[in-house]
Amino acid sequence: MGKRSASHLLFVLLCLSSCLAQAQILFQGFNWESWKKQGGWYNFLEGHVSDIAASGATHVWLPPPSHSVAPQGYMPGRLYDLNSSKYGTATELKSLIAAFNAKGVQCVADIVINHRCADYKDSRGIYCVFEGGTPDTRLDWGPDMVCSDDTQYSNGRGHRDTGAGFAAAPDIDHLNARVQQELSDWLNWLKSDLGFAGWRLDFAKGYSADVAKVYVDNTKPTFVVAEIWSNLRYDGNGEPSRNQDVDRQELVNWAQTVGGPASAFDFTTKGELQAAVQGELWRMKDGNGKAPGMIGWMPERAVTFVDNHDTGSTQNSWPFPSDKIMQGYAYILTHPGVPCIFYDHVFDWNLKQEISALAAVRSRNGIHPGSKLNILAAEGDMYVAMIDDKVITKIGSRYDLGSLIPSDFHAVAHGNNYCIWEKSGLRVPAGRHR
């Protein structure tokens, strides 16, 4: 092969790898009740690795891996102790990660570091003496590592909290140099020993973006997404306000400050979308003609989702309308941002075929986080948008779309009140959907 041909091949391969790196789909591989699974969740999920990979997932989000006072893992204590997890053992977790990696799917750990549960009481009789879960002193902390303004647990020697408080457990002082170093070491151990590639940062409002940047810079994950929960702003009539810029600006600010691969769950898009599908699809276009959520401003750093273990599952704290779930997936799987598929919808709601068909459209057309979005219509009963000039998405109850769909576009996926067209596939009459 000549130098010119070799150089051309290298260029093509680099372009292909760049495209594949951009075309991401996150899959949440658990729900609020997964810890109860007989035989262990890790073992059970390993049996579904092929199905999850076939859904188009490039990354899978796994539950908190460590010992925890609460069985779901969100009240962690001995961070290095993975064998006390209700989801399974360290060996089983390694096997699960290896199985995903063999299918080309990277694993994202749920990282809960805002707060921590202690094993012992100090001389004051307060639970604030922490064990790391190893024979040595790693992560063996005392009250000095608790934020000074967390007065229920603190001895007053720590720094003030850099974020929101968490009443149920001691807030960790993330400005403490030892805390930063030992948590960074633990995260790097999760990468090197377990095989994790990225982090989902639980309750990221609990510490500043500058603190999060320290951990991201120290551990160099390939994927990071933060939970910065906002329930939107509401008018006096109980309806979501027309302008949600304050909420999405908070998400953008966080991602910009942390930098690198840092992204945030797009709670703004979720809130707008689940209100819009109830006959208010005009909400899906802001005053500047863009998408109303984070994806309208910084789509490359937005992770969109329909529901998760908090908003849906058995907690059901902010659920998407159950009869319109597929409209939600039609939107996020064809739009900019990184879409996140929820375990329940694929395996418990029997939506695997429909969701996989939408994911295939995304993959086939190379839709990626920064794809170009052109909103063609946004009215009460109809939302239509073109993505990268190759895909058109329609959600809403309106059947006749007039001349909105060009004659060279063909329907390739459809369901209850949604339809997807692309420039190749099964032809149906222009302007109509099934």
Side-chain angles (χ1 to χ4, degrees):
M1 181 183 293
K3 289 185 178 179
R4 190 170 182 177
S5 298
S7 297
H8 178 71
L9 178 59
L10 178 61
F11 175 77
V12 171
L13 290 174
L14 287 173
C15 289
L16 179 60
S17 65
S18 175
C19 179
L20 290 174
Q22 284 186 311
Q24 298 173 332
I25 295 178
L26 179 64
F27 188 102
Q28 182 176 0
F30 66 99
N31 61 33
W32 194 246
E33 305 298 329
S34 297
W35 64 275
K36 297 178 179 178
K37 191 68 178 178
Q38 290 295 317
W41 184 254
Y42 297 149
N43 288 334
F44 172 78
L45 194 63
E46 190 165 344
H48 290 290
V49 166
S50 293
D51 283 338
I52 293 171
S55 75
T58 58
H59 295 74
V60 62
W61 160 23
L62 298 179
S66 302
H67 158 262
S68 171
V69 172
Q72 296 84 4
Y74 292 96
M75 295 287 281
R78 301 186 299 274
L79 294 179
Y80 277 102
D81 182 3
L82 307 188
N83 287 320
S84 295
S85 167
K86 296 296 184 182
Y87 298 101
T89 66
T91 299
E92 292 164 353
L93 177 55
K94 280 187 180 182
S95 178
L96 175 62
I97 293 172
F100 274 117
N101 289 344
K103 292 289 186 179
V105 179
Q106 295 187 345
C107 293
V108 177
D110 204 326
I111 301 301
V112 188
I113 55 174
N114 168 73
H115 52 274
R116 193 174 168 201
C117 294
D119 277 81
Y120 307 109
K121 295 179 180 179
D122 67 357
S123 59
R124 301 169 298 161
I126 295 173
Y127 275 101
C128 58
V129 177
F130 307 90
E131 286 287 333
T134 67
D136 54 42
T137 61
R138 286 175 291 169
L139 296 174
D140 292 354
W141 299 342
D144 286 1
M145 280 68 173
V146 177
C147 294
S148 60
D149 46 345
D150 188 357
T151 55
Q152 183 178 354
Y153 302 100
S154 172
N155 61 8
R157 297 195 189 104
H159 298 87
R160 292 183 64 82
D161 201 340
T162 61
F166 186 85
D171 279 305
I172 298 303
D173 176 12
H174 288 283
L175 297 181
N176 183 292
R178 180 182 172 190
V179 167
Q180 289 185 1
Q181 184 60 58
E182 294 192 356
L183 283 178
S184 296
D185 290 344
W186 173 68
L187 290 168
N188 280 319
W189 175 76
L190 290 178
K191 286 178 61 182
S192 62
D193 200 71
L194 275 295
F196 280 109
W199 319 129
R200 179 262 185 183
L201 301 179
D202 178 71
F203 194 61
K205 279 191 173 185
Y207 44 94
S208 70
D210 289 320
V211 165
K213 179 176 174 58
V214 169
Y215 296 119
V216 171
D217 289 348
N218 286 350
T219 61
K220 296 177 174 55
T222 60
F223 185 94
V224 180
V225 59
E227 178 201 35
I228 303 172
W229 190 324
S230 172
N231 286 325
L232 302 189
R233 295 172 186 273
Y234 291 83
D235 295 328
N237 61 3
E239 293 292 316
S241 300
R242 185 70 179 88
N243 187 314
Q244 299 290 341
D245 288 356
V246 172
D247 293 290
R248 58 175 167 173
Q249 188 65 59
E250 181 183 13
L251 303 177
V252 167
N253 290 347
W254 189 92
Q256 287 180 328
T257 299
V258 179
S263 58
F265 281 113
D266 192 348
F267 278 89
T268 314
T269 288
K270 172 182 165 55
E272 290 275 24
L273 185 57
Q274 66 187 33
V277 294
Q278 302 183 79
E280 300 179 348
L281 286 164
W282 50 264
R283 292 184 177 277
M284 300 316 296
K285 183 177 180 179
D286 71 9
N288 295 311
K290 296 181 178 294
M294 186 184 182
I295 63 169
W297 284 0
M298 199 179 188
E300 299 87 351
R301 293 290 175 257
V303 176
T304 54
F305 67 106
V306 174
D307 266 325
N308 61 28
H309 63 294
D310 287 322
T311 66
S313 191
T314 53
Q315 294 202 92
N316 225 33
S317 58
W318 199 38
F320 205 90
S322 60
D323 60 334
K324 297 175 175 64
I325 290 291
M326 284 309 305
Q327 290 186 59
Y329 278 110
Y331 184 92
I332 70 169
L333 283 169
T334 61
H335 277 53
V338 176
C340 182
I341 300 170
F342 186 31
Y343 174 91
D344 288 20
H345 297 149
V346 173
F347 294 107
D348 295 343
W349 292 43
N350 297 317
L351 298 175
K352 179 170 66 174
Q353 184 174 348
E354 283 190 82
I355 289 173
S356 295
L358 293 172
V361 171
R362 184 180 189 86
S363 175
R364 188 164 61 241
N365 289 278
I367 298 173
H368 56 83
S371 284
K372 181 178 72 171
L373 176 65
N374 179 18
I375 300 173
L376 304 178
E379 302 172 14
D381 61 350
M382 173 185 67
Y383 169 87
V384 182
M386 182 181 291
I387 303 90
D388 285 341
D389 298 322
K390 294 187 289 187
V391 172
I392 295 178
T393 297
K394 172 265 178 185
I395 58 176
S397 60
R398 189 182 301 185
Y399 183 80
D400 193 338
L401 306 182
S403 60
L404 278 175
I405 311 302
S407 60
D408 58 340
F409 275 72
H410 319 293
V412 291
H414 58 89
N416 185 23
N417 290 333
Y418 76 87
C419 189
I420 314 296
W421 292 262
E422 63 182 26
K423 285 190 174 179
S424 62
L426 180 65
R427 179 181 293 276
V428 295
R432 313 290 285 186
H433 73 88
R434 290 172 165 170

